[in-house]
Amino acid sequence: MVTPYKHEPFTDFTVESNKKEFEEALKLVKGQLGENYDVVVNGECIRTDQKIVSTNPANTKQVVGNVSKANQEIAEKAIQSASNAFEDWKKWDPRSRAEILFRAAAIVRRRKHEFSAYLAYEVGKPWKEADADTAEAIDFMEYYARQMIELGEGKHVESRPGEQNRYIYTSTGVSVVIPPWNLAFAIMAGTTVAPLVTGNTVVLKPASNSPVIAAKFVEVLEEAGLPKGVLNFVPGSGREVGNYLVDHPKTALISFTGSRDVGTELYKRAAEVQPEQKHLKKVIVEMGGKDTVVVDKEADIETAIEAIIVSAYGFSGQKCSSGSRAVVHKDVYDEVLDGVAKRAKELTVGNATESNVYMGPVVEQAAFDKIMSYIEIGKEEGRLVTGGKGDDSKGYFIEPTVFADLDPNSRMQQEEIFGPVVCFTKANDFNEAIDIANNTEYGLTGAVISNNREHLDKAKVDFHVGNLYFNRNCTGAIVGYQPFGGFNMSGTDSKAGGPDYLALHMQAKTISEQF
């Protein structure tokens, strides 16, 4: 009997023993920095001359790892390996596949702080954020394993006298998984194990900013008993390797999380039927967001301030769910704006490996340059209230930044900045606030801060986002509690961590027998 699912608890770092354990994990990982990691195809390690050099975004001279880079020839071998392994893997009992995930989750749980320490070093994730990332990775394994055991029984359909009908789920085939760097462990793990546990084989192309964490997870799955060829690890460039994998006629399913531009291009490529391709490719795409915290005049002001701070500055605003827009009723606008600006000035910014750092660096030079260019645009379109400065001399640090008085259609309020910048717009009434919140091409997350039940009920219907939160921040969805995915240009609304997600990786089959 499988125990009921319950999400992995977060670590309380105010407890001295927990703090010391994490510090020990940081020391352990520091001693492992700079190691080499290989491509893995059919269980064999391949070391190439070309490397992805992963560095600490808080200290760019510190190399986290050197990861072998695959080319198209290796990508082809990976696809063939996955295709061959699929013939056996799809026949495994669903419970046996689930048990590999349970074991992998147990391995990660024992090494939880170690993985979180890698997140601190490789993507600049502060302790609390890193801990939540690792906990979510464990959650995905635990939740999807249980879901697969349930799906393995199929779903009920009716039968007639003299006839028996069954409705079952079958595996799809070779899956190409292209995860992001921002939830470098959680989303990478979740999008990898979902096709695996459903009986598909995987070619994993990790994000170039977080390949070491992915390599470490591949080691865990191997230790947990995953057969050779079922998971193939092929770091490489999106243009050379990513496109090749997406276009391949043997690719049956593609799971991508990343930018709108790449996601829409991938979606288009996947729709084209290649020579010798006998199927239509399944596509799961989660892209960006331009997420809004709406503050009603009948709101608790402290709740509103806290919601905006957490939404905007958690992991330096580098989440697709980050609340980069605050649309505030005119009657409380100044009070909320002043409160957020004051709190933003108090936030600590520094190296994520250090304790008591609220905000670490942004992930790379290109991200730093992009965010700083948006800050210049913000100075033209609105009023800079606080922040606005950056320092890339040693790492990629940007101050928590607040802009006020922005037009709802300004670039700052329409385009995804993906950094520690929140933009304020004033609304005359609640209806206008919801209209403004809906005026972007995205529809991922949103929050409404209000004590007016009629307004909350209106938002349930009219606020067009996949994840809507009341009287709290708009980030931090928990697996099995708040299934995650968005509308419009935020993606296919595939609801990761929810009861429908695994079925997207499978094909439903009806079997009818007459007696």
Side-chain angles (χ1 to χ4, degrees):
M1 183 176 178
V2 178
T3 57
Y5 167 73
K6 186 176 182 181
H7 87 86
E8 182 71 15
F10 303 134
T11 303
D12 182 356
F13 290 114
T14 63
V15 177
E16 190 62 27
S17 60
N18 290 340
K19 183 179 178 182
K20 287 182 178 179
E21 286 177 3
F22 197 83
E23 288 171 342
E24 287 300 314
L26 286 165
K27 289 179 183 177
L28 172 69
V29 170
K30 188 175 182 179
Q32 299 172 352
L33 297 181
E35 290 188 359
N36 293 309
Y37 298 89
D38 298 334
V39 174
V40 180
V41 175
N42 198 32
E44 297 180 7
C45 295
I46 302 171
R47 186 158 297 185
T48 62
D49 293 333
Q50 283 194 311
K51 307 290 184 185
I52 298 172
V53 181
S54 178
T55 59
N56 181 351
N59 177 8
T60 56
K61 293 182 180 180
Q62 189 173 56
V63 175
V64 177
N66 299 289
V67 183
S68 286
K69 198 173 182 180
N71 54 25
Q72 288 186 4
E73 182 182 353
I74 293 174
E76 175 65 28
K77 290 179 180 178
I79 288 281
Q80 297 301 335
S81 169
S83 179
N84 293 334
F86 175 66
E87 295 306 314
D88 180 63
W89 181 243
K90 69 181 180 182
K91 298 173 185 175
W92 274 48
D93 180 73
R95 183 177 287 269
S96 296
R97 294 197 299 260
E99 285 168 351
I100 290 178
L101 264 61
F102 287 136
R103 187 175 182 205
I107 294 168
V108 173
R109 190 177 289 111
R110 288 193 291 268
R111 297 168 54 190
K112 184 179 181 183
H113 292 333
E114 177 190 342
F115 275 98
S116 297
Y118 269 105
L119 289 165
Y121 277 109
E122 190 165 37
V123 292
K125 189 158 280 196
W127 292 20
K128 184 178 178 181
E129 295 273 350
D131 181 73
D133 197 328
T134 303
E136 187 174 3
I138 295 169
D139 285 344
F140 275 127
M141 288 183 275
E142 293 279 359
Y143 182 76
Y144 289 154
R146 287 167 174 78
Q147 287 286 303
M148 189 61 240
I149 292 171
E150 182 180 318
L151 278 177
E153 301 298 319
K155 292 293 179 77
H156 174 77
V157 290
E158 300 299 330
S159 293
R160 297 178 295 188
E163 176 186 83
Q164 184 185 63
N165 299 315
R166 292 187 64 209
Y167 186 86
I168 64 170
Y169 293 96
T170 65
S171 306
T172 299
V174 176
S175 301
V176 171
V177 174
I178 307 174
W181 53 263
N182 60 338
L183 276 91
F185 194 11
I187 296 181
M188 179 273 301
T191 54
T192 298
V193 302
L196 288 177
V197 79
T198 48
N200 304 297
T201 51
V202 170
V203 178
L204 169 62
K205 193 198 87 62
S208 294
N209 286 320
S210 56
V212 172
I213 294 163
K216 288 289 183 182
F217 183 57
V218 171
E219 293 173 0
V220 166
L221 289 172
E222 290 175 341
E223 182 183 345
L226 199 66
K228 292 180 179 180
V230 172
L231 173 61
N232 302 273
F233 180 62
V234 288
S237 76
R239 189 170 298 277
E240 180 185 7
V241 172
N243 288 345
Y244 186 84
L245 295 172
V246 167
D247 294 343
H248 202 285
K250 286 193 174 182
T251 296
L253 184 145
I254 300 152
S255 180
F256 168 84
T257 305
S259 71
R260 177 200 183 282
D261 290 346
V262 176
T264 51
E265 173 64 20
L266 181 153
Y267 203 76
K268 179 181 177 181
R269 296 183 81 106
E272 184 176 348
V273 177
Q274 303 291 334
E276 301 182 19
Q277 182 179 323
K278 298 180 179 180
H279 55 274
L280 296 176
K281 294 172 182 175
K282 289 174 172 279
V283 181
I284 298 170
V285 172
E286 201 277 293
M287 299 185 287
K290 191 65 180 173
D291 309 302
T292 307
V293 178
V294 171
V295 182
D296 195 7
K297 67 177 180 180
E298 298 171 78
D300 181 89
I301 300 302
E302 286 304 314
T303 299
I305 292 168
E306 178 67 13
I308 293 169
I309 289 290
V310 172
S311 299
Y313 302 126
F315 191 40
S316 303
Q318 298 176 116
K319 301 177 185 179
C320 51
S321 60
S322 292
S324 60
R325 308 204 310 165
V327 177
V328 185
H329 192 285
K330 62 181 181 180
D331 290 359
V332 295
Y333 182 85
D334 290 337
E335 187 177 0
V336 174
L337 176 61
D338 291 346
V340 169
K342 181 182 178 182
R343 284 285 310 281
K345 291 176 184 177
E346 296 169 350
L347 299 179
T348 53
V349 181
N351 192 321
T353 60
E354 299 172 3
S355 63
N356 300 318
V357 168
Y358 188 89
M359 231 177 67
V362 298
V363 74
E364 62 180 357
Q365 186 72 56
F368 178 89
D369 294 342
K370 175 188 173 185
I371 297 162
M372 293 307 297
S373 71
Y374 270 111
I375 287 173
E376 292 307 309
I377 293 168
K379 291 175 182 177
E380 297 175 3
E381 292 186 336
R383 172 167 58 96
L384 177 62
V385 179
T386 188
K389 295 178 182 178
D391 180 1
D392 61 349
S393 58
K394 294 181 179 179
Y396 309 115
F397 297 99
I398 298 175
E399 294 178 336
T401 300
V402 178
F403 283 101
D405 309 338
L406 285 153
D407 186 283
N409 297 308
S410 63
R411 289 185 65 187
M412 295 296 285
Q413 289 290 48
Q414 290 293 315
E415 299 175 14
E416 189 176 33
I417 300 170
F418 224 65
V421 180
V422 64
C423 301
F424 274 72
T425 292
K426 188 181 295 183
N428 290 313
D429 55 42
F430 188 75
N431 288 340
E432 184 183 38
I434 295 298
D435 288 342
I436 294 171
N438 285 331
N439 79 345
T440 78
E441 65 179 351
Y442 297 104
L444 187 53
T445 75
V448 177
I449 316 301
S450 178
N451 291 321
N452 185 317
R453 176 48 57 181
E454 184 180 354
H455 286 175
L456 295 180
D457 287 343
K458 175 182 173 59
K460 289 177 187 178
V461 177
D462 292 344
F463 199 162
H464 194 63
V465 292
N467 282 64
L468 180 58
Y469 302 95
F470 292 154
N471 292 312
R472 52 153 287 179
N473 58 292
C474 64
T475 64
I478 294 175
V479 174
Y481 292 65
Q482 295 112 8
F484 187 81
F487 303 158
N488 297 347
M489 282 297 168
S490 289
T492 51
D493 190 40
S494 302
K495 287 293 184 283
D500 305 321
Y501 189 70
L502 289 190
L504 300 174
H505 300 74
M506 307 185 79
Q507 298 183 106
K509 188 173 186 177
T510 299
I511 301 172
S512 183
E513 181 176 0
Q514 195 163 8
F515 300 115

